[in-house]
Amino acid sequence: GRLIVSVFNPDLSRPQNVVRLDKTKQVGDKLVMRFYAQSFDFPNQITFGHYIYDFVKSDGSVKRLLVPFKIRYVFYDEMCQLLKRTGYEIECVYGDEKKDPYEPNSPLMVFIARKPA
């Protein structure tokens, strides 16, 4: 069998603690606006993120929802070593879900690996 691991490719150059508009979507009579902010704990490889959802009604009233989360990130070389240490051979690595080749600035790291028979 094969093991497929898909993780985001960390971009540590992104600004910290800056709220930016991520997506907007009209849902019925409401405009849903998603904002995103992040900060990093570099020594522990952790991203602290916040999604902020604003639900704006047609009368201009706003309801806000805050969704905090934290994620530990891994680097390309680190994931390669983890797979090798656990007995997997990496068959290929893609940079996105469309199977484009992995490059250092790819949004994802999609590892296809297998254990030798």
Side-chain angles (χ1 to χ4, degrees):
R2 286 194 171 98
L3 172 69
I4 300 173
V5 179
S6 176
V7 294
F8 71 93
N9 190 13
D11 179 1
L12 304 182
S13 68
R14 293 171 63 178
Q16 296 189 70
N17 301 312
V18 173
V19 177
R20 54 190 184 276
L21 181 61
D22 186 40
K23 292 182 181 180
T24 61
K25 183 177 180 179
Q26 190 71 39
V27 179
D29 70 336
K30 293 179 190 151
L31 175 65
V32 181
M33 302 171 74
R34 184 173 84 176
F35 299 87
Y36 178 72
Q38 71 181 11
S39 61
F40 298 109
D41 175 352
F42 295 110
N44 294 304
Q45 291 179 229
I46 296 174
T47 298
F48 296 95
H50 290 86
Y51 282 124
I52 303 161
Y53 293 91
D54 281 353
F55 302 91
V56 184
K57 290 186 178 180
S58 56
D59 66 3
S61 63
V62 178
K63 181 178 179 182
R64 176 167 280 178
L65 174 65
L66 178 63
V67 181
F69 62 91
K70 73 179 185 176
I71 300 173
R72 186 186 184 282
Y73 53 87
V74 296
F75 294 106
Y76 178 85
D77 291 338
E78 181 181 14
M79 183 57 76
C80 290
Q81 286 301 315
L82 288 169
L83 290 168
K84 288 177 186 175
R85 289 163 115 192
T86 54
Y88 285 92
E89 292 179 358
I90 298 170
E91 293 180 349
C92 59
V93 182
Y94 298 115
D96 58 29
E97 63 280 345
K98 295 179 281 185
K99 297 185 178 179
D100 288 332
Y102 171 78
E103 296 180 6
N105 63 344
S106 295
L108 296 176
M109 299 181 289
V110 182
F111 291 85
I112 313 293
R114 66 175 174 81
K115 281 203 175 183

